[in-house]
Amino acid sequence: MAESGDGVPLCNTCGEQIGVNANGEPFVACHHCDFPICKSCYDFYINEGRSECLRCGTPYIYEDKITENNDTEASGNQSTIAPEFSNPQDVGLHARHVSTVSTVEEGEGNDESGGNPIWKNRVESWKSKDKKNKKKKEKEKKEEPKAENEAPIPPEQQHMEEIQPSSEGAEPLSRVIPVPRTKILPYRIVIIMRLIILGLFFHYRVTNPVESAYPLWMTSVICEIWFAYSWVLDQFPKWSPINRETYLDRLSARFEREGEPNELSAVDFFVSTVDPLKEPPLITANTVLSILAVDYPVDKVSCYVSDDGAAMLTFESLVETAEFARKWVPFCKKYSIEPRAPEFYFSQKIDYLKDKIHPSFVKERRAMKRDYEEYKVRVNALVSKALKTPEEGWTMQDGTPWPGNKTRDHPGMIQVFLGSSGAHDIEGNELPRLVYVSREKRPGYQHHKKAGAENALVRVSAVLTNAPFILNLDCDHYVNNSKAVREAMCFLMDPQVGRDVCYVQFPQRFDGIDRSDRYANRNIVFFDVNMKGLDGIQGPVYVGTGCVFNRQALYGYSPPSMSNLPRSSSSCCCCPSKKSTKDASEMFRDAKREELDAAIFNLKDIDNYDEHERSMLISQRSFEKTFGLSSVFIESTLMDNGGVPESVNSSTLIKEAIHVIGCGYEEKTEWGKEIGWIYGSVTEDILTGFKMQCRGWRSIYCVPTRPAFKGSAPINLSDRLHQVLRWALGSVEIFLSRHCPLWYGYGGGRLKGLQRLAYINTIVYPFTSLPLIAYCCLPAICLLTGKFIIPTLSNVASVLFLGLFLSIIVTSVLELRWSGVSIEDLWRNEQFWVIGGVSAHLFAVFQGFLKMLAGVDTNFTVTAKAADDTEFGELYMIKWTTLLIPPTTLIVINIVGVVAGFSDALNGGYESWGPLFGKVFFAFWVIFHLYPFLKGLMGRQNRTPTIVVLWSVLLASVFSLIWVKINPFVSKVDSTTISQQCIAIDC
């Protein structure tokens, strides 16, 4: 804080001393953060209708006489405030707290007397403008009727009245429903008991080694310790699970009052696609159509489709989709169709006449289905045409070459469909805006795949529409619940709940998976157990799709309720104590940051300021280093409630939008480091959510009764393993990066302990593959060698083993009680944990170390085998991949071990059957967990690929030779005994 020579604080606007109040004490404008403002500047802000603190956004508590003199003026001056503050209810809800913007240079500081002459002169000019505006308004007031001349309630007081508990409009838009104590208390008790039993169990295991099989015993103990550590990481973040309930009727009552403008916040939808031959345009089109038909005000919805492959097929299919949307959207809204993706609406096997009493519904539905079939024919014709690329490249309808003929070397492309200035629907109503975006790509630039495409969409949407909230979807996830956006707004627009919420995450649900869900494609345990547990701490992790973001959180700001994070705390923080000590230079930088914050708010409050003044501020080097060289985009980041300035020309916006998706725009900026989607991992979703929550934001998990979004692609065994491989590889990359939760972000202290445990679990789980594959080999080795990893059990040891197994079972049962997950889903999840652990996770660990430490990028080829042309045929399609080798090997060696063990027991007599039981139990534990994998190898019609048969025969032969070498059928006789017998019988 700047001070004069006698220690009196200086005003952060004009640079003068802040002065004293009537009691002779230093004047304080904001009692929340003590931001220094002098009395003159304070009065000026009040007269201008600015009643919030410039730093923290807290409403001023000013004297009664000031209130009486300025109530009318504050209301009258509302029309002079910048367009982004047209909604008085949202003023101050998202106050800006920059956590990563660098400060201005020393040369731009105060002058020798401690004042700031630039801002002092500017304030004087504002005051002169203010006098002119007052004269104008007095003239207008005289001409108004007497009834309208009464002093209205200032917007700030309206806002304060609305958030009072007694007000009808202040009813909460959502409610937290804790899990009943009768369910959660026994669950917690069993967790503690299981932890105690684990401690006693390991004490027994460590103090009772098996001397005859010491290496096997040591291996088993190390594996068991790691499993216990993994269990702690997975279990304790589920300590306080919660459910949530939303009230859509209250949302409408508060923000959609009859006869008044709709005050719901705008939302920008992001849809990403790359290769239209791998991601069918029809699937992407259904996603887009479901967005355009969503139950939300059309002027508040914009859909951005990112074509990262610059394919003309995607562009042309989007043209057809925009045309079909003119018929589909009014049909959905007229008859409240669910879901609003036509492919999935027309294919559902339900009574479509239920609740549809309109006499013309059947006729219009048949006509719409016919129109959709014709639309599909046109899109499929485009796909067939795109299978063979012309030698000279693609050409558009006007004869010009398609700019994206070179997919890795093309300019940025933007095309706006529909919207207020585009085509209306067949009934003449406005449609949501649809925008095609293909960012610029040039050789030699790093484009960062999906994360880079999402960041490009953040910038282009900020320039064109600048909605305060962003919803991102994968191209194969359509809107299944048309009110999903309203569900999210119940949290984000609630002044009590939404202040510190960075995103609302919805669970992923899927179509095209059979009832048995052999490969745990639905991830029920993760979405209905783990995520609900995290919601009770600091919020769920971001899972890449079906998420509604607060745009300000993506810009790297801290939540309004918290002070700014020092720039140093966003880096690797291994020694928090050192970070807390500030030297003089850091204090100076903090003071400069306060000046910059004040300048931002001053810029937003002035009326009729010229472009030169605006450009002087937003071209500050600190903003350029953070957000890039675009004054239009930088100005959009300063608008709390979103929206585009009315004075800006639409042609200028398109030109600026092309500029911000240039391939070199992000160079020497904070994009991908502190802003937007974070780079450095193929699982950019985990990193992005982690960075936000390290700044102090919290997230919310929303599970509507009708699933909000659904994925449409079935996944067979090989594709499922490759999906898991990609996720695990991303976790290993984060583990080896500076963002590893084991050491990142401790200085700020904003990530809760259990939340950090959850993030640690998301990056270390692939390493469980090493002890898991060793543990799965142990039963076969024990059966082949006759050794065992556990000594002869005493009574105490038997009780410990029994207690451990019972605690595992009881924990699972109680978890099922409070989560509502079925036991079949839990078992499938357990099975695929083993299958993925011994295959995809194992390869991810080695591939991650090779990539991050040696720079070697390895890929695993996938060869497809024809699928059955039946329902779920693709789900049971066989694809040979290297990932199938480890599980196949484990199955074979355990089957060989079981055969060898029974053979040895038959040969050894009655006493051999007791020790055999424990060994066979562990072997069958492995085989049962790998059973879905074995079924997957055989396919739907039990047809195993030839290469799998060859591998099985080869491995069986190898282990058979080992078995023969061991000679289990021949009793071991010492050579000295044989020689003594020969002497005795006169050999």
Side-chain angles (χ1 to χ4, degrees):
M1 183 185 298
E3 295 182 354
S4 63
D6 53 0
V8 179
L10 300 179
C11 175
N12 272 268
T13 299
C14 64
E16 300 292 341
Q17 294 186 3
I18 62 171
V20 295
N21 58 18
N23 298 328
E25 300 173 350
F27 178 76
V28 178
C30 177
H31 296 273
H32 185 264
C33 67
D34 293 334
F35 188 62
I37 296 290
C38 70
K39 187 71 165 57
S40 301
C41 294
Y42 172 79
D43 291 342
F44 174 72
Y45 288 135
I46 297 301
N47 292 337
E48 282 293 302
R50 177 70 188 181
S51 63
E52 295 87 20
C53 174
L54 302 180
R55 176 193 285 170
C56 66
T58 304
Y60 290 136
I61 304 175
Y62 44 91
E63 301 171 7
D64 292 339
K65 61 178 183 178
I66 298 176
T67 307
E68 292 172 2
N69 294 337
N70 293 295
D71 269 356
T72 307
E73 293 176 10
S75 177
N77 288 341
Q78 183 68 24
S79 61
T80 68
I81 297 177
E84 60 268 30
F85 290 105
S86 59
N87 183 358
Q89 291 178 345
D90 293 334
V91 174
L93 289 184
H94 303 288
R96 186 112 25 317
H97 293 270
V98 183
S99 63
T100 59
V101 177
S102 20
T103 54
V104 292
E105 294 182 349
E106 292 185 17
E108 298 168 355
N110 296 338
D111 60 4
E112 293 177 359
S113 64
N116 190 331
I118 297 176
W119 285 108
K120 191 174 180 181
N121 295 335
R122 193 169 294 179
V123 168
E124 292 300 325
S125 68
W126 296 341
K127 288 180 179 178
S128 64
K129 291 176 185 176
D130 179 52
K131 289 177 183 176
K132 293 178 183 176
N133 290 334
K134 281 182 183 175
K135 287 179 182 178
K136 257 189 202 176
K137 283 165 189 169
E138 283 173 10
K139 240 187 191 179
E140 292 171 0
K141 283 180 183 178
K142 287 178 184 177
E143 297 170 2
E144 288 176 357
K146 203 171 187 180
E148 296 179 3
N149 212 14
E150 296 177 3
I153 301 174
E156 293 77 18
Q157 289 188 9
Q158 290 178 8
H159 177 64
M160 291 174 67
E161 287 175 6
E162 282 183 0
I163 63 174
Q164 289 176 359
S166 59
S167 175
E168 188 176 322
E171 291 181 334
L173 303 180
S174 62
R175 181 169 68 101
V176 174
I177 306 176
V179 176
R181 287 182 62 84
T182 54
K183 294 182 179 179
I184 198 63
L185 195 59
Y187 177 68
R188 292 173 178 171
I189 292 173
V190 171
I191 288 177
I192 298 299
M193 290 179 59
R194 183 172 170 183
L195 201 60
I196 296 171
I197 293 172
L198 274 174
L200 298 173
F201 171 78
F202 283 121
H203 178 266
Y204 166 78
R205 292 286 282 137
V206 172
T207 55
N208 292 271
V210 181
E211 300 294 343
S212 60
Y214 195 84
L216 295 179
W217 168 82
M218 178 62 73
T219 303
S220 66
V221 170
I222 293 172
C223 293
E224 289 161 3
I225 291 174
W226 180 267
F227 294 151
Y229 169 72
S230 299
W231 173 78
V232 169
L233 290 179
D234 183 65
Q235 203 70 39
F236 277 88
K238 297 182 282 190
W239 186 261
S240 303
I242 60 171
N243 296 297
R244 295 183 185 270
E245 186 179 38
T246 55
Y247 303 106
L248 301 183
D249 52 342
R250 295 180 185 176
L251 180 77
S252 296
R254 183 178 299 186
F255 297 107
E256 296 181 291
R257 297 188 181 98
E258 190 175 351
E260 297 181 13
N262 193 301
E263 295 177 347
L264 287 174
S265 294
V267 181
D268 288 336
F269 287 76
F270 292 174
V271 179
S272 301
T273 183
V274 180
D275 187 351
L277 299 180
K278 293 181 180 177
E279 299 163 338
L282 199 59
I283 297 298
T284 305
N286 271 271
T287 299
V288 171
L289 289 168
S290 68
I291 292 171
L292 297 178
V294 74
D295 182 8
Y296 208 68
V298 292
D299 59 323
K300 309 282 186 177
V301 175
S302 299
C303 178
Y304 292 83
V305 179
S306 170
D307 177 18
D308 224 28
M312 196 168 105
L313 171 58
T314 303
F315 178 82
E316 290 186 332
S317 65
L318 210 59
V319 173
E320 294 288 349
T321 302
E323 184 62 28
F324 178 70
R326 298 177 63 242
K327 302 176 183 177
W328 174 250
V329 173
F331 172 74
C332 290
K333 293 188 175 181
K334 182 177 181 181
Y335 298 111
S336 302
I337 298 301
E338 294 285 3
R340 299 191 176 180
E343 183 69 24
F344 303 96
Y345 169 68
F346 289 123
S347 63
Q348 59 186 351
K349 299 175 181 178
I350 61 170
D351 180 12
Y352 65 84
L353 294 178
K354 186 179 180 182
D355 302 327
K356 299 293 185 296
I357 58 176
H358 201 286
S360 63
F361 171 69
V362 174
K363 182 180 178 181
E364 290 192 33
R365 185 184 185 276
R366 287 174 181 168
M368 185 55 60
K369 188 172 183 180
R370 185 170 58 252
D371 289 339
Y372 178 64
E373 294 298 329
E374 293 173 358
Y375 161 74
K376 283 173 65 176
V377 169
R378 295 194 297 271
V379 172
N380 290 330
L382 293 174
V383 174
S384 301
K385 177 184 172 184
L387 293 176
K388 188 176 181 181
T389 307
E391 293 182 4
E392 66 279 4
W394 297 107
T395 305
M396 292 187 289
Q397 291 183 356
D398 59 359
T400 57
W402 172 247
N405 278 324
K406 296 181 180 179
T407 55
R408 298 185 180 180
D409 185 9
H410 65 84
M413 296 178 281
I414 294 177
Q415 177 64 48
V416 181
F417 303 98
L418 307 178
S420 57
S421 58
H424 290 187
D425 65 24
I426 57 175
E427 296 179 0
N429 299 319
E430 184 181 336
L431 287 168
R433 181 176 299 194
L434 175 62
V435 185
Y436 169 87
V437 180
S438 182
R439 57 185 173 137
E440 181 187 15
K441 286 191 175 180
R442 301 296 181 192
Y445 287 91
Q446 177 61 263
H447 299 107
H448 302 290
K449 299 181 179 178
K450 181 183 176 181
E454 295 286 350
N455 284 338
L457 288 181
V458 171
R459 295 191 295 273
V460 75
S461 64
V463 171
L464 295 180
T465 50
N466 196 32
F469 301 109
I470 293 170
L471 195 159
N472 83 298
L473 287 174
D474 287 344
C475 62
D476 60 349
H477 277 68
Y478 63 92
V479 181
N480 184 64
N481 183 348
S482 61
K483 298 184 183 295
V485 183
R486 294 176 179 270
E487 297 273 357
M489 291 302 116
C490 286
F491 303 107
L492 293 169
M493 295 190 69
D494 191 325
Q496 304 297 326
V497 178
R499 285 177 59 85
D500 296 341
V501 175
C502 55
Y503 59 82
V504 175
Q505 178 66 64
F506 290 89
Q508 292 184 24
R509 306 299 187 201
F510 299 94
D511 292 321
I513 301 173
D514 66 339
R515 188 173 175 275
S516 65
D517 193 14
R518 184 185 298 171
Y519 314 127
N521 284 312
R522 293 191 177 94
N523 279 331
I524 294 293
V525 173
F526 174 76
F527 286 113
D528 287 2
V529 179
N530 297 53
M531 295 287 268
K532 286 182 180 179
L534 292 178
D535 198 19
I537 312 171
Q538 198 172 343
V541 297
Y542 168 44
V543 297
T545 184
C547 188
V548 185
F549 285 95
N550 182 336
R551 190 183 282 270
Q552 300 303 315
L554 283 172
Y555 288 156
Y557 295 118
S558 298
S561 64
M562 294 190 175
S563 58
N564 295 332
L565 264 179
R567 190 172 181 79
S568 56
S569 69
S570 62
S571 59
C572 175
C573 303
C574 302
C575 304
S577 59
K578 294 181 181 179
K579 300 290 180 183
S580 60
T581 305
K582 287 189 176 183
D583 55 16
S585 63
E586 287 177 342
M587 293 179 67
F588 175 78
R589 286 197 296 270
D590 288 344
K592 303 300 290 181
R593 185 186 303 280
E594 289 176 356
E595 290 183 14
L596 187 59
D597 286 344
I600 294 171
F601 284 107
N602 287 333
L603 175 68
K604 291 190 295 185
D605 275 345
I606 60 177
D607 181 35
N608 298 329
Y609 56 89
D610 56 53
E611 294 299 322
H612 175 68
E613 289 177 341
R614 182 194 310 195
S615 62
M616 274 184 63
L617 180 65
I618 63 180
S619 63
Q620 296 285 347
R621 188 171 302 175
S622 56
F623 279 98
E624 293 175 353
K625 286 181 178 178
T626 304
F627 296 115
L629 298 170
S630 171
S631 59
V632 176
F633 174 73
I634 291 173
E635 187 177 1
S636 73
T637 66
L638 307 179
M639 304 172 74
D640 287 331
N641 301 321
V644 179
E646 296 177 1
S647 58
V648 180
N649 191 351
S650 58
S651 60
T652 306
L653 290 181
I654 292 292
K655 184 178 178 182
E656 196 67 22
I658 292 289
H659 169 60
V660 298
I661 60 173
C663 57
Y665 183 84
E666 293 183 355
E667 288 195 348
K668 298 180 181 179
T669 68
E670 296 291 341
W671 285 101
K673 301 171 188 172
E674 301 294 335
I675 297 174
W677 271 256
I678 307 301
Y679 305 147
S681 171
V682 295
T683 52
E684 69 285 331
D685 46 1
I686 296 293
L687 265 182
T688 302
F690 176 59
K691 292 278 284 188
M692 290 180 185
Q693 294 188 333
C694 280
R695 294 188 185 103
W697 293 94
R698 65 158 293 127
S699 55
I700 281 179
Y701 195 50
C702 182
V703 188
T705 305
R706 179 181 178 85
F709 311 101
K710 277 193 175 183
S712 56
I715 304 174
N716 55 64
L717 175 61
S718 305
D719 288 342
R720 173 75 164 130
L721 289 177
H722 273 269
Q723 181 190 58
V724 173
L725 170 66
R726 185 173 60 83
W727 294 343
L729 177 59
S731 296
V732 176
E733 288 174 344
I734 297 173
F735 177 81
L736 298 173
S737 72
R738 73 184 186 93
H739 290 119
C740 178
L742 287 169
W743 52 73
Y744 180 86
Y746 277 98
R750 297 185 175 187
L751 195 66
K752 295 186 178 180
L754 292 179
Q755 189 78 10
R756 188 175 293 278
L757 277 186
Y759 274 111
I760 290 173
N761 189 38
T762 63
I763 59 119
V764 302
Y765 76 88
F767 297 96
T768 305
S769 61
L770 300 174
L772 183 60
I773 200 166
Y775 211 75
C776 289
C777 290
L778 284 176
I781 296 172
C782 291
L783 286 165
L784 291 170
T785 59
K787 310 294 183 181
F788 199 36
I789 58 175
I790 299 174
T792 304
L793 293 178
S794 61
N795 291 334
V796 175
S798 301
V799 171
L800 282 176
F801 272 93
L802 183 62
L804 182 61
F805 282 113
L806 285 177
S807 66
I808 293 172
I809 294 170
V810 174
T811 305
S812 300
V813 170
L814 293 176
E815 201 169 79
L816 296 178
R817 280 191 68 206
W818 65 254
S819 66
V821 174
S822 68
I823 191 168
E824 182 182 8
D825 289 321
L826 189 69
W827 174 237
R828 291 299 187 200
N829 183 76
E830 181 76 13
Q831 286 179 313
F832 199 80
W833 174 72
V834 176
I835 294 170
V838 299
S839 57
H841 297 172
L842 181 68
F843 280 85
V845 170
F846 289 109
Q847 188 176 353
F849 275 98
L850 286 173
K851 182 178 180 181
M852 301 298 290
L853 302 180
V856 179
D857 196 359
T858 56
N859 292 311
F860 303 102
T861 58
V862 178
T863 305
K865 182 179 176 66
D868 305 317
D869 190 19
T870 57
E871 188 180 12
F872 307 117
E874 188 181 345
L875 190 63
Y876 296 100
M877 183 170 58
I878 305 301
K879 296 182 180 181
W880 171 249
T881 171
T882 320
L883 299 178
L884 303 180
I885 296 175
T888 307
T889 306
L890 286 175
I891 290 175
V892 171
I893 65 171
N894 277 279
I895 291 175
V896 170
V898 169
V899 175
F902 276 104
S903 302
D904 195 28
L906 288 170
N907 198 41
Y910 177 76
E911 295 179 354
S912 303
W913 290 97
L916 178 66
F917 174 77
K919 302 173 188 177
V920 171
F921 173 80
F922 282 111
F924 275 108
W925 180 90
V926 176
I927 294 170
F928 286 154
H929 277 80
L930 294 175
Y931 176 73
F933 176 84
L934 190 62
K935 287 280 290 181
L937 285 181
M938 293 185 292
R940 191 173 179 82
Q941 302 299 329
N942 295 335
R943 295 181 301 183
T944 306
T946 307
I947 192 167
V948 176
V949 176
L950 292 175
W951 268 102
S952 302
V953 171
L954 177 62
L955 292 171
S957 302
V958 170
F959 284 102
S960 296
L961 291 173
I962 296 174
W963 185 17
V964 171
K965 178 67 177 174
I966 295 172
N967 265 340
F969 294 114
V970 180
S971 58
K972 305 291 187 287
V973 182
D974 193 3
S975 58
T976 56
T977 307
I978 296 176
S979 61
Q980 289 175 359
Q981 288 176 350
C982 289
I983 294 171
I985 60 175
D986 283 336
C987 292

